[in-house]
């Protein structure tokens, strides 16, 4: 949250969400730099990388941040939900 420059993965996706007017809740989890656990991320995505998006139905979307930002800006975020579009 405190690192807000273009190359930081979390900020890249957060900025795309902001620019697209998409409402979201930011949930913080341990930082790899502080040696904190990323247990929730591992449980939900199968790996330790940020960022990831959890939809209202509990499904999860995770790609590299540049791809996520591109998807969001293109208005295709709903396509990443499993099942029929909302």
């Amino acid at each position: 949250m405190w690192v807000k420059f273009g190359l930081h993965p979390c900020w890249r996706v957060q900025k795309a969400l902001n620019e697209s007017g998409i409402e979201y809740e930011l949930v913080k989890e341990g930082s790899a730099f502080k040696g904190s656990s990323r247990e929730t991320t591992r449980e939900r995505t199968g790996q330790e990388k940020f960022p990831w998006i959890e939809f209202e139905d509990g499904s999860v979307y995770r790609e590299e941040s540049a791809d996520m930002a591109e998807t969001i800006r293109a208005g295709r975020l709903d396509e990443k939900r499993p099942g029929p579009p909302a």
Side-chain angles (χ1 to χ4, degrees), residues 1 4 10-27 52-54 56 72 77:
M1 181 68 188
K4 291 188 176 182
C10 294
W11 175 239
R12 183 180 290 141
V13 171
Q14 185 178 357
K15 186 176 179 194
L17 290 167
N18 292 342
E19 290 170 353
S20 298
I22 297 172
E23 292 186 30
Y24 61 92
E25 176 185 349
L26 180 66
V27 178
W52 52 281
I53 294 173
E54 181 175 353
E56 296 87 358
I72 292 164
L77 184 57

Side-chain angles (χ1 to χ4, degrees), residues 70-81:
E70 182 179 327
T71 295
I72 292 164
R73 287 191 178 101
R76 297 188 332 263
L77 184 57
D78 275 342
E79 294 174 15
K80 300 300 180 176
R81 297 174 192 259

Side-chain angles (χ1 to χ4, degrees), residues 8 42 47 57 78 84-85:
H8 190 277
R42 275 193 304 276
Q47 45 79 47
D57 65 1
D78 275 342

Side-chain angles (χ1 to χ4, degrees), residues 33-76:
F33 297 113
K34 297 178 185 176
S36 298
S37 170
R38 291 188 178 186
E39 183 177 337
T40 301
T41 295
R42 275 193 304 276
E43 288 173 2
R44 301 294 292 136
T45 69
Q47 45 79 47
E48 293 189 356
K49 289 185 178 181
F50 294 143
W52 52 281
I53 294 173
E54 181 175 353
F55 295 107
E56 296 87 358
D57 65 1
S59 62
V60 173
Y61 166 50
R62 166 75 183 107
E63 287 186 287
E64 292 301 315
S65 63
D67 297 327
M68 291 179 77
E70 182 179 327
T71 295
I72 292 164
R73 287 191 178 101
R76 297 188 332 263

